[in-house]
Amino acid sequence: AYNKILCGDIIDGRIGELDPDVYTEYDNPIIRRVATQPFQNNMQSVFFPSLELTVESGVGNSDVVDPQIVLERSKDGKTWSGPIARSIGKIGEYTRRAIWRRNGRAARFEVFRFTLTDAVKPVIIQLTANIIGGDK
């Protein structure tokens, strides 16, 4: 209606407008979270020298100058490490890379979870992991 896409909120019945250029919901942040399946090496120890999350970078804006994406790790899929943030690029910083280095060793497997709460364009393209199996 009115050249807009309107929708009703399932919880409280509010009417809202869907806009591909608005990254909040009723002025509240939207939590975007993605987790990997477990990385493992036949249930033997495995090292993770580096992880790179390829995202659309340079998506900062006047409200969020330096947007961040957070990595958390789990060795059991239930408890998570403390968050480690990386910038995904200020306005026009199109070559910014989100890389986590020196990620240590997992005894059997590890799950990685990435969270973006900043009100910016959320485009995750791929995760590239440098993985080394064994006890070295």
Side-chain angles (χ1 to χ4, degrees):
Y2 315 105
N3 289 327
K4 297 179 179 181
I5 300 174
L6 301 176
C7 61
D9 189 296
I10 193 169
I11 296 171
D12 62 12
R14 286 185 284 181
I15 301 296
E17 178 185 355
L18 292 178
D19 185 335
D21 298 319
V22 174
Y23 307 111
T24 58
E25 183 175 53
Y26 302 113
D27 297 323
N28 296 315
I30 299 172
I31 298 172
R32 296 171 176 90
R33 182 171 284 151
V34 61
T36 67
Q37 62 185 18
F39 282 88
Q40 56 95 15
N41 176 36
N42 293 319
M43 300 310 276
Q44 301 298 314
S45 63
V46 61
F47 290 87
F48 303 96
S50 67
L51 301 168
E52 179 173 359
L53 190 67
T54 304
V55 299
E56 183 173 335
S57 56
V59 294
N61 56 48
S62 60
D63 294 327
V64 183
V65 176
D66 190 14
Q68 307 279 310
I69 194 156
V70 170
L71 165 69
E72 295 167 289
R73 304 166 56 171
S74 177
K75 296 179 191 268
D76 60 13
K78 298 184 186 308
T79 58
W80 297 91
S81 69
I84 304 169
R86 295 290 183 266
S87 173
I88 59 172
K90 298 175 182 175
I91 298 172
E93 204 172 31
Y94 302 121
T95 59
R96 170 64 75 170
R97 296 169 66 190
I99 302 173
W100 291 264
R101 291 183 167 74
R102 300 180 61 147
N103 296 295
R105 170 185 173 272
R108 297 182 332 143
F109 70 89
E110 191 131 1
V111 178
F112 298 97
R113 179 169 77 179
F114 300 90
T115 305
L116 176 65
T117 58
D118 290 329
V120 296
K121 187 176 181 184
V123 179
I124 295 175
I125 299 166
Q126 72 177 8
L127 173 65
T128 305
N130 182 6
I131 303 170
I132 301 172
D135 293 321
K136 297 180 184 178

